[in-house]
Amino acid sequence: MEHRIPRYTLEGVRGAEISVHPFSTEDELGLSLTRFHGDDCDDVVLLVHGLTSSSDMFIMPEHHNLVSFLLDSGFGDVWTLDFRMSNRYPYNLETRRQSLDDIAAFDHPAAMAELRRHVGARRIHVIAHCLGSVSFQMSLFGGALDGVTSMVANSVGLTPRVPAWARVKLTLGPAMLEYGLGLSYLDPRFSEAPPFTRRRLLSWLVSSFHPECREPACHMQSFMWGSGRPAMYRHGNLTPRTHVHERLADLNGAADVNYYRHIGKMVRAGRAVKCEPGNPLHDRLPDDYMAEAGQVPTPVLFMTGDHNDVFTDSNIVCHKILSKRAPGRHELQVIPGYGHIDPLIGKNAHVDVFPRILDFLKRHAG
C-alpha cells in the first residue's frame, strides 16, 4: 500500500541529533527510548504514548509536533518511550494476556533507569497520554519509581471513567471477541483483511454505524475506544493528511483485548486497581494505586479536552480527589474544542495546547 507519510518516519523533527537506546525489562521484553537532542539543558522531557499508538504521535511531520515545539522552546533534550503497548512492536498482536500492571511493574521503571543512565541527576519531566498516563501514574504513585520532577497527564489518570456505551463494550467485548470471534486483538486495518474473513466483516459492520466519514480506520478506532462519531478526536482538529485510513492506522494500531479487561475493572472500581491482585509478578505494587497517591510529591497537570468521548471527565475527577489529599500540588487544564488524542496530534495543538504544557514545565524547571 502506498503511504502518504512513511510509517515510523523521523522527518517531523529537524535540526536535532537523534539516537535510539534499546533496553530490556525484567520480564524479558525489548523496548526502546529515542532521544532528540538539540542542546544541553538541566531539564529533560520524556514523552509516553498510549495504547495502540507509539512515539510517532509526538513527531508527526504533518503539523508542528510536540517534540519540535519543546526543542524550539528551550527544552533541548527530549526523549520518547516505546513500551510494550507501542505499535512499533508485535506485543499487542500476541496472546500474552498482558495488563497495565505489567507495564507499571516492568516497563516504566526500566525506562526510567535507562534514561537516568544517560542523563544522570538532571530533572525529568514526563508528558504521558491515555493508558501511558494511567500506567505511568500507577508506577509513580504505586512506588515503583521516583525522581520525576513534574508530569503532564493527557485525557486520563488514576480514575478512568468512560461513556455508558463504552462500559457495555468493556464488560461484554473481551469475551465476545476472544471466544465468540476468535480475535485476541482489534486492529484499525481490519478493512484490509481478505474478503469474508471475520476481521473484514467486523470492519464492515462497524463502518455501517459510522456515516460521519469514509475512513475505515477512523470508524474502527471509534469502536475500539469510547463512544462517538468519531470518538477519539474532533475531525476538524486533524490535518487532511492525518485523517486518511492508512495514516490513522499507522498512528493508532492494534490493541490486545485483555487490556480492556483491566480497564473495565478500573472503571467499575472507580480508580486504578490491580487486574490480578494475587499475581506474584506484581507484588511490589499496591492493590489500590490511589491509596498512597497523596504522599507522592510530583506535581501533575491533568489535561483533557472538553469533548473527551473516550475517558470523559476522568482527569477532572482525578484532579479533584488528589487536590483534597495534597492541596495546591496539582493542576487542571480543560481544552475547549478538543477531544481525547487531538490535544497532542491536532493541527493547531501547537497554538491551543502546547503553550499550556510549556507554561507548566517552565514553572517546575530550574
Side-chain angles (χ1 to χ4, degrees):
M1 174 185 293
E2 180 183 352
H3 288 258
R4 292 175 174 85
I5 297 174
R7 192 184 302 187
Y8 310 144
T9 181
L10 298 175
E11 294 176 0
V13 181
R14 300 185 181 277
E17 180 183 352
I18 303 175
S19 56
V20 178
H21 303 267
F23 63 94
S24 299
T25 65
E26 287 186 26
D27 63 340
E28 302 177 338
L29 289 187
L31 308 177
S32 66
L33 288 159
T34 303
R35 185 181 196 176
F36 300 87
H37 185 259
D39 195 9
D40 292 332
C41 59
D42 293 329
D43 292 272
V44 175
V45 182
L46 174 64
L47 308 182
V48 182
H49 62 80
L51 177 57
T52 84
S53 56
S54 68
S55 57
D56 296 282
M57 67 176 289
F58 303 117
I59 58 173
M60 295 164 61
E62 59 263 52
H63 66 87
H64 192 39
N65 58 65
L66 183 54
V67 168
S68 297
F69 180 88
L70 291 170
L71 292 173
D72 293 343
S73 301
F75 287 89
D77 201 359
V78 181
W79 297 65
T80 60
L81 169 64
D82 281 282
F83 59 104
R84 75 183 65 201
M85 282 183 176
S86 173
N87 65 49
R88 289 192 172 204
Y89 296 117
Y91 307 133
N92 288 329
L93 305 177
E94 299 174 352
T95 54
R96 296 171 60 92
R97 286 285 178 107
Q98 299 174 111
S99 72
L100 295 174
D101 298 319
D102 294 310
I103 298 166
F106 302 117
D107 293 20
H108 296 314
M112 286 293 290
E114 176 67 12
L115 182 56
R116 281 290 180 203
R117 192 170 71 84
H118 294 278
V119 306
R122 287 188 282 165
R123 291 179 291 269
I124 295 177
H125 308 266
V126 175
I127 302 172
H129 168 65
C130 188
L131 297 184
S133 171
V134 176
S135 58
F136 195 91
Q137 288 190 35
M138 288 163 62
S139 274
L140 178 63
F141 292 115
L145 57 83
D146 56 16
V148 179
T149 300
S150 73
M151 180 179 181
V152 178
N154 184 58
S155 185
V156 59
L158 291 178
T159 57
R161 293 159 61 88
V162 299
W165 172 231
R167 286 184 72 108
V168 173
K169 290 189 289 184
L170 288 173
T171 301
L172 303 178
M176 291 180 64
L177 289 166
E178 278 195 325
Y179 298 106
L181 297 178
L183 298 172
S184 63
Y185 68 92
L186 291 173
D187 193 334
R189 289 192 174 86
F190 275 179
S191 66
E192 301 167 24
F196 306 112
T197 60
R198 286 166 293 182
R199 291 170 294 161
R200 181 76 167 266
L201 291 173
L202 178 59
S203 177
W204 174 84
L205 178 63
V206 169
S207 288
S208 68
F209 287 93
H210 286 273
E212 66 273 14
C213 69
R214 298 182 177 181
E215 306 299 338
C218 183
H219 307 157
M220 200 67 194
Q221 288 173 16
S222 294
F223 175 70
M224 293 166 65
W225 299 107
S227 177
R229 295 187 175 91
M232 289 183 64
Y233 39 71
R234 306 283 96 185
H235 273 148
N237 288 339
L238 304 186
T239 70
R241 297 179 71 201
T242 301
H243 189 259
V244 291
H245 171 76
E246 62 268 25
R247 182 59 172 156
L248 290 172
D250 284 352
L251 289 170
N252 300 288
D256 181 339
V257 300
N258 198 59
Y259 286 121
Y260 295 126
R261 290 189 174 93
H262 197 179
I263 301 165
K265 186 170 184 178
M266 292 183 181
V267 168
R268 290 187 291 274
R271 63 197 185 282
V273 294
K274 274 184 179 174
C275 189
E276 298 176 339
N279 189 332
L281 292 174
H282 310 136
D283 281 349
R284 76 185 78 176
L285 297 171
D287 291 344
D288 181 350
Y289 291 95
M290 287 289 288
E292 302 295 329
Q295 307 305 312
V296 176
T298 302
V300 179
L301 169 61
F302 291 95
M303 188 174 74
T304 183
D306 65 348
H307 290 83
N308 190 337
D309 293 328
V310 176
F311 285 110
T312 62
D313 61 345
S314 299
N315 267 355
I316 297 173
V317 170
C318 196
H319 172 260
K320 182 177 180 180
I321 292 173
L322 291 183
S323 292
K324 290 181 179 179
R325 300 186 185 186
R329 179 177 300 161
H330 306 295
E331 299 180 26
L332 173 68
Q333 286 275 356
V334 179
I335 315 298
Y338 280 80
H340 166 66
I341 193 174
D342 41 338
L344 296 176
I345 71 167
K347 62 185 179 183
N348 293 321
H350 64 288
V351 175
D352 301 330
V353 183
F354 296 171
R356 300 169 185 249
I357 297 174
L358 180 64
D359 173 69
F360 178 79
L361 294 179
K362 284 186 172 180
R363 285 189 282 110
H364 293 284

